[in-house]
Amino acid sequence: MDKIKRRQYISIFVLAIMLAFFSVLLADSKLTSFVSTDLYRINGRDLLNIIFMTDEFTIYPYLDRSDIHVLFLVFSFYILGIILLNYNFLSKSGEYYCLIYSRTGSKKRAGKYMKADSLGKTICYVIAYSVTCYIGMNLCVKNYVNTTRTFYVQLFIETLLHAGAAILALSLLQKIIFFVYVKSNAAFAFMTGLAAISILLILDIQLKNWNVLLFSPKHFFLDSIGTLTAANIEMHFIEKFFLYTQLPYEGGDYS
Amino acid sequence: MKMIYKFRLKERSLLISCTVLFVVLYGTWFFESYFAEVMFFMDYNAEDLVSNAKDIMLQSILTWERYIDSSMRYLINFFPIFAVFPALPFLRERKSYYVLGAHRFQHYQKNILKSILIYAGKGGLTIALTFSFFFLAGSLFLQPSVSNIGGFSSIFPDNFYIQHPCLFFLFMSWTIYLAIGISFGLMACGISLICDNEIYVLIIPLLIYPGESYFGYLLDFLPFKISESVCAFNTLYSTGKIFIPVITIFIFDFILIIIGLKKRRMLIDG
């Protein structure tokens, strides 16, 4: 691992931990203000519910669907994610792709070069965020007065499954953004990424009994992982046929 | 007319930003206010329903409060991007027009300030125009259901909102939303004076906006609660207090622009 790459990994790791720390603080302040007003036995799941957001508004009394700031933490996680993970190609102008293509000789390899070890960075970002949230939850729960016993191993497994879904979602968003980036320019690509996040969240809240980005372990996240894997495979084929196809050269031998 | 004014008028970015904002507003309203559910997905053949259930439900849904509240639900997380996007061509202008023709201007900084004001005004106009069209279209089929909408109507006499709801929302879009748009347009211009890269102009306002409102809510400090003034239709603060978070952003913009102009001056003078 060379020097630049190590620096990028460390900055992503530190920023993810900072974001998780601030999210835990905000969720904790929200929960403590709720406890003082109403009687409800709080356990560890409630803090994670506020951070990752669930769509079961009827079960939990501290969640209100008409509250306009209810999706703030989810949006900040995904927006920081697409900024950090796609920074490598979004900070360059569109002509770089053509330059790298002319050197590498294959469009696919040029795309791989522009994305620059995206999967490792995504895993680093998401796992750092989720594990820090889980540790913060364990530290915060001790302070509440009315608590019930929770199954912490089950919560940890659910957090990891949700992290897997988030990794798939971020890689899907990266594929969409890279497609638009090659076709037009960086500003449009970034706008498309923001639109894609909101479309996924609208779908998620509209569909009852189906979960894509949020934290509702009714089917143990099999639905979200399945949907996002299918979307990733579809986006892979769209990239293969509309972005990476190379037309055959008919003007004789080019070597 | 100078060629540069024609170039600024012909820019498509204002139109694109307006259209995207309009589509996002109506798309989220369609799904979030149960309108789609009532119109298309609901089963009206059940026996225990009254015959005109659809009309009753539509009457409870088509209200001004639900209209604005449901359409802003996703938008509030990335609101500044629509004001920043029309100000992006300033970066291109700064890189070409103000470098190649630097020796032709009599007052170099005055000219840059003039074009900054034009682009910031474009950013404000995008949001104000789109919202006024949005509210004018809404006034055809909507009715108010609450007698007092919140703190932002405290400048008006009592019962003003229930009599003229459309006028209140037009006032909102041409005061607070125009101010927010101009402030974020100025921020985009200030960043593009300092940075050379297009994506920084998009990213930095998007990082400042949630970060600032986050600290505002954590510390309960009004000058940082910029998202409170974005949702001015549902707030506890009075009409004058709502403008305080925007003033913080304006101060930040002026610091950025002064630093940027000094940097340009040093580059031109050598």
Side-chain angles (χ1 to χ4, degrees):
Chain A
M1 203 182 273
D2 58 340
K3 206 174 174 184
I4 298 170
K5 215 177 230 183
R6 199 188 303 145
R7 207 180 289 159
Q8 283 175 351
Y9 268 97
I10 289 171
S11 59
I12 286 173
F13 187 71
V14 169
L15 280 170
I17 285 178
M18 272 172 66
L19 184 70
F21 179 69
F22 288 132
S23 322
V24 170
L25 271 185
L26 197 66
D28 187 38
S29 69
K30 208 172 178 180
L31 264 188
T32 43
S33 70
F34 170 74
V35 169
S36 60
T37 55
D38 205 341
L39 277 172
Y40 173 78
R41 298 180 83 80
I42 282 177
N43 52 28
R45 184 183 291 281
D46 299 319
L47 202 81
L48 292 182
N49 271 340
I50 292 178
I51 294 171
F52 298 130
M53 205 46 224
T54 173
D55 55 352
E56 290 153 350
F57 293 100
T58 50
I59 301 174
Y60 304 109
Y62 47 86
L63 293 176
D64 186 13
R65 197 178 163 183
S66 62
D67 182 14
I68 208 161
H69 299 292
V70 89
L71 288 168
F72 175 70
L73 289 174
V74 182
F75 257 101
S76 51
F77 170 67
Y78 280 103
I79 287 176
L80 192 69
I82 62 169
I83 287 171
L84 285 178
L85 303 173
N86 307 328
Y87 176 76
N88 199 49
F89 60 84
L90 281 182
S91 61
K92 299 179 177 88
S93 76
E95 288 93 48
Y96 266 84
Y97 181 70
C98 307
L99 283 174
I100 291 169
Y101 169 43
S102 70
R103 281 194 189 175
T104 50
S106 121
K107 285 185 178 175
K108 197 171 182 179
R109 214 180 292 165
K112 224 173 202 176
Y113 191 85
M114 294 288 285
K115 285 176 186 171
D117 193 16
S118 57
L119 193 62
K121 280 177 194 167
T122 317
I123 291 171
C124 175
Y125 176 71
V126 175
I127 294 292
Y129 181 80
S130 303
V131 170
T132 316
C133 282
Y134 182 77
I135 294 168
M137 184 269 289
N138 272 330
L139 294 176
C140 281
V141 158
K142 288 169 189 168
N143 301 330
Y144 303 139
V145 182
N146 279 327
T147 51
T148 53
R149 198 170 62 87
T150 39
F151 300 102
Y152 287 106
V153 178
Q154 191 195 344
L155 261 185
F156 187 66
I157 290 169
E158 280 171 7
T159 315
L160 282 186
L161 283 172
H162 178 262
I167 289 168
L168 286 171
L170 279 171
S171 64
L172 173 71
L173 285 172
Q174 190 183 45
K175 275 172 186 149
I176 293 170
I177 290 174
F178 187 70
F179 190 85
V180 182
Y181 167 78
V182 172
K183 291 292 178 192
S184 62
N185 62 34
F188 274 115
F190 190 69
M191 295 273 278
T192 319
L194 291 179
I197 295 172
S198 32
I199 287 168
L200 278 176
L201 279 172
I202 288 174
L203 261 181
D204 204 344
I205 288 189
Q206 284 303 309
L207 293 170
K208 309 269 161 58
N209 302 322
W210 197 261
N211 179 36
V212 186
L213 293 184
L214 302 179
F215 186 76
S216 57
K218 207 181 274 177
H219 309 293
F220 287 96
F221 296 102
L222 285 178
D223 44 0
S224 50
I225 288 175
T227 316
L228 290 167
T229 312
N232 262 313
I233 291 169
E234 193 183 344
M235 203 59 215
H236 174 76
F237 280 110
I238 289 175
E239 271 190 343
K240 194 179 175 187
F241 291 125
F242 293 103
L243 201 62
Y244 295 149
T245 39
Q246 303 195 22
L247 294 174
Y249 183 68
E250 288 179 357
D253 196 4
Y254 197 64
S255 63
Chain B
M1 201 159 79
K2 271 186 186 174
M3 275 300 285
I4 188 74
Y5 291 115
K6 277 184 190 169
F7 170 75
R8 282 169 192 163
L9 273 178
K10 276 181 190 169
E11 268 293 327
R12 292 174 303 151
S13 57
L14 195 147
L15 211 65
I16 292 171
S17 187
C18 276
T19 343
V20 172
L21 183 55
F22 208 67
V23 168
V24 170
L25 277 171
Y26 266 111
T28 45
W29 171 74
F30 186 72
F31 287 111
E32 279 291 310
S33 72
Y34 303 106
F35 183 71
E37 210 172 329
V38 168
M39 290 299 278
F40 304 112
F41 304 137
M42 215 168 225
D43 181 25
Y44 288 106
N45 297 324
E47 287 178 1
D48 54 340
L49 270 180
V50 285
S51 56
N52 57 347
K54 196 172 180 179
D55 295 336
I56 296 171
M57 279 179 191
L58 271 183
Q59 214 171 26
S60 69
I61 279 168
L62 295 178
T63 58
W64 278 102
E65 294 79 30
R66 199 178 273 267
Y67 185 62
I68 177 70
D69 196 58
S70 58
S71 57
M72 287 290 280
R73 193 157 297 159
Y74 295 91
L75 205 63
I76 195 163
N77 297 299
F78 49 91
F79 192 71
I81 197 106
F82 298 102
V84 167
F85 192 73
L88 269 183
F90 177 70
L91 181 65
R92 214 185 313 153
E93 204 171 288
R94 203 267 291 159
K95 274 188 197 166
S96 62
Y97 181 67
Y98 287 106
V99 172
L100 299 175
H103 58 288
R104 295 199 181 188
F105 299 114
Q106 279 189 338
H107 308 286
Y108 185 68
Q109 297 198 350
K110 220 178 186 178
N111 262 298
I112 286 189
L113 276 177
K114 209 194 259 175
S115 68
I116 283 176
L117 281 181
I118 287 171
Y119 279 108
K122 264 177 126 177
L125 265 185
T126 313
I127 289 178
L129 269 181
T130 319
F131 271 95
S132 40
F133 275 121
F134 181 65
F135 293 135
L136 281 176
S139 69
L140 297 174
F141 55 91
L142 294 175
Q143 272 151 3
S145 68
V146 184
S147 59
N148 187 12
I149 189 138
F152 193 66
S153 64
S154 64
I155 194 172
F156 295 116
D158 292 345
N159 293 329
F160 179 82
Y161 169 69
I162 197 114
Q163 284 163 1
H164 313 284
C166 186
L167 276 183
F168 167 76
F169 281 112
L170 282 181
F171 170 77
M172 195 175 84
S173 61
W174 283 98
T175 50
I176 182 74
Y177 283 162
L178 187 73
I180 292 169
I182 288 176
S183 68
F184 278 104
L186 276 179
M187 188 188 282
C189 294
I191 295 163
S192 52
L193 279 176
I194 295 172
C195 302
D196 279 341
N197 211 327
E198 201 177 30
I199 200 68
Y200 290 126
V201 187
L202 282 172
I203 285 175
I204 293 173
L206 260 193
L207 290 181
I208 285 173
Y209 169 73
E212 198 184 344
S213 51
Y214 173 84
F215 282 108
Y217 281 107
L218 202 65
L219 307 172
D220 203 14
F221 186 53
L222 178 62
F224 284 171
K225 286 182 184 175
I226 180 69
S227 68
E228 195 74 32
S229 53
V230 170
C231 56
F233 49 88
N234 180 16
T235 180
L236 295 172
Y237 299 104
S238 63
T239 316
K241 274 187 180 174
I242 273 296
F243 284 90
I244 293 174
V246 187
I247 291 171
T248 321
I249 298 241
F250 267 117
I251 294 167
F252 181 69
D253 295 346
F254 286 123
I255 294 168
L256 267 183
I257 287 172
I258 288 166
I259 294 171
L261 280 181
K262 257 186 188 168
K263 194 182 172 189
R264 288 301 117 204
R265 182 74 178 269
M266 276 165 65
L267 286 177
I268 295 294
D269 288 348

